[in-house]
Amino acid sequence: MPAFSQELVERLAQATSAMALTGAGISAESGVPTFRDPGGLWEEFSPQELANVEAFLDNPKLVQSWYAHRHAVVAEVEPNPGHYALAELERLLEDFTVVTQNVDGLHQQAGSTNVAELHGNIRRAYCIDCEAPAPEGALAPDGDDIARCPTCGGLLRPDVVWFGEMLPRKEVQRAEQATQRADVCLSVGTSALVYPAAAIPQQARANGAYVAEINIEPSAIADQIDETVIGKAGDVLPALLDAVRAIA
Ligand code: BJW
Ligand code: ZN
């Protein structure tokens, strides 16, 4: 039985509004590599090389291939019990928002409908010149070619947020509103190193929320929140859901 407090269970069961900020760790058990863990994506590739616009313009084929590969991984995998438990919490509670840094779409696939995607979605791509959306899978380069826009010939990029880029305004607004309303905020499977997302749990807490994180190890914000639950998201979230159901 994962070691979450009875206070967390009671606060969730009584919450008028609750939210979860999720990161790569929640999808790890589905087989999507995280970024910063041992064996994570950035052990092999550095973010400086791949996750910024300059890198893309310097070497579009390399960056397109990396995202095409990651898109192929995401297209194959399934949500895990952690994703399903959050989708179930949305059905159980009056108001529940998932604010995710993940680009894999697995929350929606698990049935969550109220999802703010702060860092975009790897299943989408668009042209950097005319901004036309490209069909899914368009980033996979044909042989040695660079993937280009069928309309204007511009470079195609994944619809994700790179370092130094603004987050999508509407998604940020939805996240801010959820953060203002929340009585409980769960921070799940994120190292809490990347801003502005990493500030959300503390903002929720400043607005009065009880904040708990669920992670296999304490994150960068562990000493600034109410509770750290050590364990895998796919174990802890279903157990938490059961405990809430038992008293809700
Ligand atoms: C498990 C588990 C299991 C494992 N169960 N847990 C303030 C201070 C300092 C810097 C900045 C600041 N504000 C902005 C910045 C700059 C920058 C930033 O934050 N830099 C820091 C790194 C220092 N931020 C930005 O540039 C952002 N834009 C912005 O601020 O715009 C305004 C602006 C513009 C211009 C100038 C200045 C300001 C944009 C950030 C975009 C991030 N993009 C990426 C790539 C997305 C595309 C892609 O997928 O390739 O998003 S980076 C990468 O990190 C990805 C993730 O969403 C993000 C967060 O990572 P996450 O999810 O936390 O994963 P990991 O791997 O780090 O952690 C996994 C965790 O899971 C670990 O804790 C494990 O223990 C745990 N875990 N298995 C539970 N089973
Ligand atoms: Zn175009």
Side-chain angles (χ1 to χ4, degrees):
M1 180 75 173
F4 46 75
S5 71
Q6 190 58 24
E7 175 161 19
L8 175 60
V9 176
E10 283 167 12
R11 284 188 183 252
L12 257 180
Q14 288 158 14
T16 308
S17 176
M19 67 182 290
L21 170 71
T22 66
I26 195 171
S27 294
E29 291 159 76
S30 290
V32 183
T34 62
F35 293 91
R36 297 170 185 82
D37 290 317
L41 288 169
W42 289 347
E43 217 166 61
E44 219 176 322
F45 302 101
S46 82
Q48 286 73 17
E49 273 176 78
L50 293 164
N52 67 69
V53 76
E54 291 80 20
F56 172 66
L57 295 174
D58 278 354
N59 196 342
K61 187 170 153 44
L62 173 72
V63 175
Q64 285 178 343
S65 313
W66 191 58
Y67 280 95
H69 164 72
R70 288 180 47 211
H71 175 255
V73 170
V74 160
E76 293 267 300
V77 302
E78 299 285 339
N80 67 60
H83 296 106
Y84 287 114
L86 291 185
E88 203 51 47
L89 274 180
E90 182 186 319
R91 286 188 275 271
L92 188 66
L93 303 180
E94 252 178 83
D95 174 41
F96 190 79
T97 308
V98 172
V99 176
T100 190
Q101 300 167 82
N102 298 345
V103 297
D104 55 32
L106 289 176
H107 286 299
Q108 295 91 329
Q109 213 170 310
S112 287
T113 62
N114 193 12
V115 183
E117 291 182 318
L118 292 180
H119 294 164
N121 193 307
I122 203 167
R123 295 167 199 252
R124 299 190 301 259
Y126 66 92
C127 169
I128 63 165
D129 290 334
C130 75
E131 294 179 7
E136 188 165 350
L139 279 185
D142 206 5
D144 286 339
D145 290 346
I146 293 170
R148 290 188 178 276
C149 173
T151 313
C152 79
L155 291 172
L156 295 181
R157 63 162 286 175
D159 192 356
V160 299
V161 181
W162 284 326
F163 283 113
E165 294 186 320
M166 302 297 288
L167 278 58
R169 198 153 50 95
K170 275 194 179 158
E171 306 295 304
V172 169
Q173 273 171 358
R174 289 177 62 198
E176 280 171 357
Q177 285 161 3
T179 305
Q180 281 160 10
R181 292 195 303 266
D183 302 318
V184 177
C185 172
L186 305 173
S187 179
V188 185
T190 178
S191 57
L193 290 169
V194 175
Y195 285 82
I200 288 176
Q202 288 121 298
Q203 283 161 356
R205 194 159 187 257
N207 291 335
Y210 186 84
V211 180
E213 75 171 352
I214 295 159
N215 201 307
I216 52 173
E217 61 180 31
S219 78
I221 56 162
D223 57 356
Q224 294 155 60
I225 60 175
D226 295 297
E227 178 169 346
T228 291
V229 184
I230 298 293
K232 290 184 175 181
D235 295 332
V236 176
L237 287 170
L240 185 59
L241 171 68
D242 282 349
V244 171
R245 265 209 191 108
I247 61 165

